């Protein structure tokens, strides 16, 4: 299965793309209305990724820090409540967790990085196009912007994100086959599915730098002198894009910018002349060159720096991950443990069961669908 | 179970061994065969087995009315063997794929034959039946799987046949409608010609000459559209069948020619030298416009490196086979892929980063 071909031909379009192309074609082909200027809106400006999932680095840090702190506070509170319950029932207090050091944001991130790479491994085994894996990784990143690893262990979320990404990118694998291959029960994967969708705000389409990279590859063919070196450079650029997935670049920059930066970096590595292409393309006029130098070049340099220097681009050692995992087990939230006392107490007082657990609905009604009366209306 | 009138005439001198009725006494007499392979006419079967199981008059085996079936072969021994084989095949339905070597498969087939022979000639019936039952019990799952497979295959085969039949029918109808339309057009033409001859005051010769010129133009136009000329043969009235056949042949040839042309062109593509490629992708496709103007509703790319707009053919990255074959799928243009990739490369390129 060829990655590039699937990249071009396989992906589904946003509905927004259809709208703007018909608008522009109407403007151009209709001779009588050619005087009316219909602005050619950038298609990307209508995507959810552009409108909802862009942050600054400081905003990201703040968001993650806040989530982490809130979770720690909740867990501490719940542990205290659990201990009170135990005392009330005559059991001894469980004070093993008072001196516990909860996970920091950095530790959570390295744990996530470890599981992201595991995901990448499994996708490589399945030999699917890169963008399916990329979508799964981005789902997981977005999920853990609003949740902490202490509440939902990354290894469960990882499976759900993989399953979901296969669905949204049109490489569906049924839950039976999936649980057979992954060797985990289907319920553990499906339980989290709705929660993940909710935290993604149901924005399932993710744009990756792969297709822009191929677009630049095509474009560079107009000014290349050595096709083979160009192709080699393109392969290296794709590898850089693969590493970029493990950083926060997808939240900070646009896919086309990341692709161009990857290409610039790959040109440096393969000693292919990038400036020739840049001059041809961006420095044709004074104003264009100015725009390039002021806006685009700093962005490219910033991305390149991340790709070369950021520690998250490197592999996470298994030992580090297991250590963090061990600590994670200790700081689990008692409210989520079905055997804890406060879980039982809360289950009893809540009328509809947990928000996140949508399987509870089955207990009230025998059939999931509403039953229709004789005249076709719901009873 | 075909018992048409044709087969019954073969059994003109049939006599029911039980009641000695022949066709003279009962013209609709039909002899049925029971599990013990003894024949009986339907009236006798009614009479004997109306009140449940009863012994066969010839061999005293207990039979029921339902176990009687029509006779398909004149020779009773053949009928018996066929019935045995049918029963066996429902149990012994292993296929070549279920065996590792050809020899194993052949050995299996030979054992099946042995058992069938024994059953058909009533040798060691008890032991044979026991062996069969044992086999059936051991391989129950495989038998079931193979039975399902067979069912699926037959279902798919009937579906395919159905689809083919429908397709052919549709094609036939389409061609017939086309011909009918053309015939109507011809008739209309002739009528107008006659009317013109009758009413106008130009000379007959000039009118006819004008008509000829128009019809010639029409035929030459149709030739370039890869449709066969019919007006030349219209006056002679060729037969329906040969016309449609000839048309189908013509279309096939055209497709083949376009295939060959396209492959040759893609191989000789040089990305550096050529500014612009004329790649004929087949009937019905038009080459994209040769400049930065919008094509197929696309956006303009003032930054695009190629001054001639998006090229028609690019070299693919390593690992991607030739995409020219993909382009042959109906409605798909190679350019779609290029356009999407290049569009994605250019959108949002100058979007500044968010400032906190």
């Amino acid at each position: 299965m060829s990655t590039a071909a699937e990249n071009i031909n396989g992906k589904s379009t946003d509905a927004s793309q259809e709208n703007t192309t018909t608008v522009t074609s109407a403007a151009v082909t209709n001779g009588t209305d050619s005087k009316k200027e219909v602005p050619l809106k950038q298609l990307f400006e209508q995507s959810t990724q552009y409108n909802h999932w862009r942050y600054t680095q400081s905003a990201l840090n703040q968001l993650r820090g806040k989530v982490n702190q809130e979770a720690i506070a909740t867990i501490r509170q719940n542990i205290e409540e659990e201990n009170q319950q135990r005392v009330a029932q005559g059991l001894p207090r469980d004070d093993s967790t008072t001196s516990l050091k909860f996970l920091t944001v950095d530790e959570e991130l390295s744990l996530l990085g470890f599981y992201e790479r595991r995901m990448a491994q499994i996708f490589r085994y399945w030999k699917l196009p890169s963008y399916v894996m990329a979508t799964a990784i981005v789902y997981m990143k977005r999920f853990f912007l609003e949740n902490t690893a202490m509440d939902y262990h990354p290894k469960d979320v990882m499976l759900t994100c993989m399953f979901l990404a296969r669905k949204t990118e049109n490489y569906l694998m049924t839950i039976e086959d999936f649980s057979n291959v992954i060797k985990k029960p289907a319920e553990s994967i499906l339980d989290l599915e709705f929660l993940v969708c909710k935290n993604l705000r149901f924005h399932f389409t993710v744009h990756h730098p792969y297709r822009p990279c191929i677009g630049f590859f095509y474009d560079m063919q107009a000014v290349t002198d050595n096709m083979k070196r160009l192709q080699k450079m393109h392969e290296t650029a794709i590898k850089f894009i693969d590493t970029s997935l493990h950083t926060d670049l997808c939240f900070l920059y646009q896919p086309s910018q990341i692709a161009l930066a990857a290409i610039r970096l790959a040109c440096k590595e393969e000693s292919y002349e990038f400036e020739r292409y840049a001059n041809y393309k961006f420095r044709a006029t004074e104003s264009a060159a100015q725009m390039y130098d002021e806006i685009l070049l700093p962005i490219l340099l910033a991305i390149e720096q991340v790709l070369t220097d950021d520690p998250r681009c490197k592999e996470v050692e298994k030992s580090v991950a297991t250590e963090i995992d061990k600590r994670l087990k200790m700081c689990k939230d008692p409210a989520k443990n079905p055997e804890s006392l406060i879980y039982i107490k809360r289950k009893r007082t809540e009328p509809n069961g947990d928000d996140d657990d949508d399987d509870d609905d089955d207990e009230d009604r025998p059939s999931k669908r509403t039953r229709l009366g004789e005249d076709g209306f719901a009873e | 179970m075909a018992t048409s009138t044709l087969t019954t005439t073969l059994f003109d001198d049939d006599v029911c061994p039980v009641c000695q009725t022949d066709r003279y006494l009962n013209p609709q007499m039909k002899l049925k065969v029971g599990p013990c392979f003894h024949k009986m006419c339907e009236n006798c079967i009614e009479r004997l087995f109306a009140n449940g199981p009863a012994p066969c008059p010839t061999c005293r085996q207990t039979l029921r009315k339902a176990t009687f079936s029509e006779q398909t072969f004149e020779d009773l021994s053949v009928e018996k063997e066929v019935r045995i084989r049918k029963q066996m095949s429902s149990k012994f339905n292993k296929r070549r794929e279920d065996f590792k070597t050809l020899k194993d498969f052949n050995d299996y087939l030979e054992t099946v034959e042995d058992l069938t022979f024994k059953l058909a000639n009533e040798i060691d019936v008890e032991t044979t039946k026991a062996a069969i039952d044992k086999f059936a019990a051991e391989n129950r799952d495989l038998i079931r799987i193979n039975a399902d497979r067979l069912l699926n295959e037959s279902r798919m085969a009937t579906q395919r046949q159905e689809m083919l039949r429908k397709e052919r029918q549709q094609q036939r109808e389409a061609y017939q409608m086309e011909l009918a339309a053309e015939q109507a057009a011809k008739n209309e033409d002739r009528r107008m010609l006659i009317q013109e001859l009758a009413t106008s005051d130009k000379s007959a010769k000039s009118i006819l000459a004008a008509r000829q010129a128009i019809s010639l133009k029409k035929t030459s136009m149709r030739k370039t559209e890869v449709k066969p000329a019919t007006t030349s043969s219209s006056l002679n009235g060729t037969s329906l069948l040969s016309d449609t056949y000839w048309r189908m042949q013509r279309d096939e040839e055209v497709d083949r020619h376009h295939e060959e042309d396209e492959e040759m062109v893609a191989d000789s593509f040089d990305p550096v030298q050529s500014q612009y490629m004329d790649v004929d992708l087949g009937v019905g496709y038009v080459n994209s416009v040769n400049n930065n103007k919008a094509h197929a509703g696309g956006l303009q790319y003032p930054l695009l490196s190629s001054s001639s707009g998006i090229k028609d053919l690019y070299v693919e990255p390593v690992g991607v086979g030739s995409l020219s074959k993909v382009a042959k799928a109906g409605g798909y243009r190679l350019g779609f892929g290029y356009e999407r990739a290049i569009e994605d490369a250019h959108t949002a390129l100058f979007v500044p980063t968010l400032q906190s």
Side-chain angles (χ1 to χ4, degrees):
Chain A
M1 209 184 291
S2 46
T3 307
E6 296 305 324
N7 257 334
I8 305 166
N9 308 324
K11 193 150 175 199
S12 57
T13 46
D14 301 341
S16 56
Q17 267 190 344
E18 260 83 294
N19 293 337
T20 38
T21 43
T22 46
V23 163
T24 52
S25 68
V28 173
T29 55
N30 193 345
T32 51
D33 283 348
S34 57
K35 300 227 177 63
K36 252 190 262 171
E37 288 279 327
V38 180
L40 295 179
K41 209 174 182 185
Q42 292 275 349
L43 300 173
F44 192 65
E45 285 170 13
Q46 298 184 43
S47 69
T48 51
Q49 182 167 338
Y50 181 85
N51 287 314
H52 300 278
W53 293 99
R54 285 198 320 163
Y55 300 91
T56 60
Q57 186 65 58
S58 53
L60 279 177
N61 297 338
Q62 219 179 10
L63 193 52
R64 288 193 177 122
K66 184 168 79 111
V67 169
N68 185 284
Q69 290 304 315
E70 281 178 1
I72 291 179
T74 321
I75 293 177
R76 280 227 171 89
Q77 208 181 19
N78 285 339
I79 290 179
E80 190 50 45
E81 207 182 309
E82 172 80 3
N83 276 330
Q84 283 173 2
Q85 284 282 317
R86 291 171 76 103
V87 166
Q89 297 210 359
L91 295 167
R93 281 177 69 99
D94 181 12
D95 277 325
S96 58
T97 52
T98 39
S99 58
L100 189 59
K101 274 169 63 185
F102 291 97
L103 293 184
T104 63
V105 174
D106 287 329
E107 287 168 341
E108 279 190 43
L109 284 179
S110 45
L111 191 63
L112 287 185
F114 176 74
Y115 281 107
E116 279 169 13
R117 290 191 155 76
R118 290 268 290 130
M119 258 208 294
Q121 263 184 340
I122 302 180
F123 273 109
R124 240 172 297 157
Y125 165 71
W126 279 333
K127 297 218 180 51
L128 295 175
S130 338
Y131 61 82
V132 190
M133 163 191 82
T135 305
I137 293 180
V138 171
Y139 282 171
M140 201 155 101
K141 287 181 120 69
R142 289 183 181 181
F143 178 82
F144 281 107
L145 278 185
E146 326 241 328
N147 295 288
T148 170
M150 293 181 268
D151 282 341
Y152 303 101
H153 197 286
K155 70 174 188 302
D156 303 319
V157 179
M158 166 182 101
L159 297 177
T160 309
C161 286
M162 285 166 67
F163 180 61
L164 197 54
R166 284 200 68 150
K167 280 205 244 185
T168 54
E169 297 295 353
N170 212 19
Y171 281 97
L172 171 68
M173 190 187 239
T174 58
I175 187 63
E176 293 95 14
D177 294 339
F178 191 80
S179 58
N180 284 336
V181 170
I182 301 291
K183 301 200 189 17
K184 286 260 157 49
E187 296 79 35
S188 66
I189 301 169
L190 293 178
D191 280 346
L192 281 173
E193 195 178 6
F194 192 71
L195 180 67
V196 171
C197 292
K198 209 166 59 164
N199 280 303
L200 291 176
R201 299 180 227 161
F202 295 92
H203 297 155
F204 294 124
T205 307
V206 183
H207 297 271
H208 299 295
Y210 294 108
R211 221 187 288 144
C213 191
I214 294 182
F216 282 121
F217 172 73
Y218 287 147
D219 206 22
M220 287 170 97
Q221 287 178 23
V223 289
T224 185
D225 56 350
N226 188 336
M227 206 52 168
K228 286 245 159 22
R229 296 245 318 276
L230 182 64
Q231 287 180 325
K232 186 94 201 329
M233 188 276 299
H234 175 71
E235 280 179 28
T236 320
I238 298 257
K239 289 211 189 68
F240 277 118
I241 294 178
D242 287 337
T243 27
S244 81
L245 286 173
H246 298 292
T247 63
D248 284 334
L249 284 174
C250 55
F251 294 122
L252 305 171
Y253 300 105
Q254 310 307 322
S256 50
Q257 294 167 340
I258 301 175
L260 194 55
I263 284 182
R264 196 160 182 279
L265 202 52
C267 286
K268 233 180 274 176
E269 277 230 357
E270 300 286 332
S271 43
Y272 180 93
E273 220 192 311
F274 179 77
E275 286 309 312
R276 184 205 290 195
Y277 173 65
N279 290 334
Y280 190 98
K281 195 172 175 66
F282 298 117
R283 297 186 210 271
T285 68
E286 265 300 319
S287 56
Q290 195 186 23
M291 202 161 66
Y292 174 69
D293 288 327
E294 283 179 12
I295 300 181
L296 191 49
L297 198 51
I299 289 179
L300 295 182
L301 293 172
I303 299 177
E304 277 176 49
Q305 190 173 36
V306 170
L307 285 176
T308 43
D309 295 337
D310 194 316
R312 285 166 73 179
C313 291
K314 314 245 177 353
E315 288 271 349
V316 179
E317 296 282 322
K318 183 137 199 250
S319 51
V320 173
T322 28
E323 222 247 273
I324 301 177
D325 201 20
K326 252 192 282 184
R327 296 236 317 271
L328 181 61
K329 285 207 175 55
M330 302 286 287
C331 39
K332 278 246 143 111
D333 185 354
K336 296 215 160 44
N337 180 4
E339 292 163 20
S340 72
L341 298 170
I342 58 175
Y343 183 89
I344 298 170
K345 174 172 146 218
R346 286 192 189 167
K347 260 294 200 143
R348 245 183 278 138
T349 52
E350 267 179 41
N352 293 325
D354 232 36
D355 241 12
D356 306 329
D357 194 3
D358 60 339
D359 287 338
D360 282 349
D361 286 341
D362 288 339
E363 294 167 4
D364 299 21
R365 287 182 275 135
S367 67
K368 282 195 184 151
R369 300 200 199 93
T370 47
R371 253 176 271 139
L372 295 179
E374 277 172 352
D375 47 359
F377 292 102
E379 280 184 19
Chain B
M1 296 295 186
T3 18
S4 57
T5 43
L6 194 63
T7 46
T8 45
T9 49
L10 296 172
F11 301 110
D12 252 348
D13 47 357
D14 270 341
V15 176
C16 170
V18 178
C19 59
Q20 313 298 327
T21 341
D22 68 357
R23 265 198 221 236
Y24 175 71
L25 294 170
N26 178 7
Q28 266 83 34
M29 176 168 78
K30 237 191 286 180
L31 292 178
K32 284 203 173 168
V33 190
C36 58
F37 303 103
H38 292 126
K39 282 199 257 193
M40 254 185 272
C41 72
E42 286 176 311
N43 292 335
C44 290
I45 297 173
E46 254 322 305
R47 191 169 38 87
L48 290 173
F49 302 104
N51 295 322
C56 166
T58 336
C59 62
R60 301 269 154 228
Q61 272 186 49
T62 339
L63 306 170
R64 279 191 294 273
K65 202 195 319 185
T67 51
F68 275 84
S69 52
E70 305 267 322
Q71 187 183 7
T72 36
F73 300 97
E74 195 169 332
D75 192 351
L76 268 180
S77 58
V78 173
E79 179 79 36
K80 180 172 175 182
E81 178 145 352
V82 163
R83 207 186 273 195
I84 293 180
R85 280 189 189 274
K86 235 190 259 180
Q87 287 173 355
M88 297 283 280
S89 77
S90 73
K91 297 208 194 89
F92 291 90
N93 58 2
K94 282 201 193 168
R95 298 169 183 217
R96 169 74 185 87
E97 300 94 61
D98 298 327
F99 291 91
K100 274 220 177 95
T101 65
L102 186 60
K103 180 167 185 314
D104 288 338
F105 184 50
N106 288 335
D107 287 341
Y108 161 77
L109 287 178
E110 190 163 340
T111 36
V112 173
E113 280 305 311
D114 273 342
L115 295 171
T116 319
F117 181 80
K118 286 197 185 135
L119 272 185
N121 299 338
E122 319 232 324
I123 310 169
D124 294 339
V125 177
E126 297 298 325
T127 39
T128 327
K129 284 215 174 118
I132 295 175
D133 288 330
K134 190 173 96 161
F135 177 86
E138 280 171 7
N139 298 304
R140 209 176 317 147
D141 296 323
L142 194 55
I143 290 174
R144 198 165 38 85
I145 290 173
N146 278 335
D148 288 336
R149 236 192 268 171
L150 195 64
L151 199 64
N152 261 339
E153 282 170 3
S154 65
R155 220 183 292 149
M156 278 191 344
T158 44
Q159 266 182 11
R160 229 178 295 141
Q161 276 184 342
E162 191 62 35
M163 267 175 27
L164 268 173
R165 201 177 53 82
K166 274 200 200 126
E167 243 182 77
R168 268 192 235 119
Q169 198 181 24
Q170 279 177 355
Q171 270 184 339
R172 240 179 290 135
E173 280 173 12
Y175 276 125
Q176 283 191 9
M177 275 180 23
E178 229 184 274
L179 280 164
E182 278 187 39
Q183 193 69 25
K186 279 182 246 158
N187 289 337
E188 183 64 28
D189 243 353
R190 240 190 268 175
R191 202 181 56 78
M192 300 246 318
L193 173 62
I194 293 178
Q195 202 174 23
E196 214 182 313
L197 285 172
T199 53
S200 85
D201 42 345
K202 288 197 222 138
S203 83
K205 222 183 189 174
S206 61
I207 295 177
L208 279 174
R211 282 275 157 160
Q212 277 283 56
I214 296 174
S215 72
L216 271 176
K217 231 197 280 171
K218 274 208 210 130
T219 57
S220 66
M221 252 177 49
R222 268 203 233 124
K223 273 210 181 101
T224 54
E225 280 179 22
V226 191
K227 267 197 164 164
T230 51
T231 45
S232 50
S233 58
S234 62
L235 297 176
N236 302 331
T238 46
S239 86
L240 212 76
L241 193 58
S242 64
D243 222 347
T244 62
Y245 181 70
W246 180 59
R247 231 181 280 224
M248 285 159 85
Q249 291 283 68
R250 211 24 220 279
D251 286 343
E252 271 179 34
E253 265 178 48
V254 167
D255 285 339
R256 231 178 298 136
H257 277 308
H258 279 276
E259 232 177 61
E260 292 162 9
D261 287 353
E262 224 254 305
E263 275 166 5
M264 280 195 319
V265 165
D267 281 340
S268 55
F269 173 69
D270 185 356
V272 180
Q273 295 297 327
S274 61
Q275 269 273 297
Y276 176 69
M277 275 309 294
D278 270 332
V279 176
D280 195 359
L281 286 178
V283 179
Y285 291 111
V286 176
N287 292 327
S288 58
V289 182
N290 160 16
N291 46 33
N292 243 341
K293 276 209 289 260
H295 44 92
L299 302 173
Q300 301 182 20
Y301 306 112
L303 280 185
L304 201 60
S305 310
S306 164
S307 59
S308 55
I310 296 183
K311 292 210 210 161
D312 271 341
L313 196 63
Y314 286 96
V315 175
E316 297 298 333
V318 174
V320 178
S322 157
L323 287 186
S324 54
K325 287 225 167 77
V326 179
K328 295 212 191 89
Y332 185 78
R333 202 166 42 94
L334 255 188
F336 291 145
Y338 301 143
E339 281 165 27
R340 285 187 84 190
I342 292 184
E343 257 176 44
D344 270 15
H346 286 76
T347 57
L349 200 51
F350 288 95
V351 170
T353 34
L354 282 179
Q355 302 300 324
S356 10

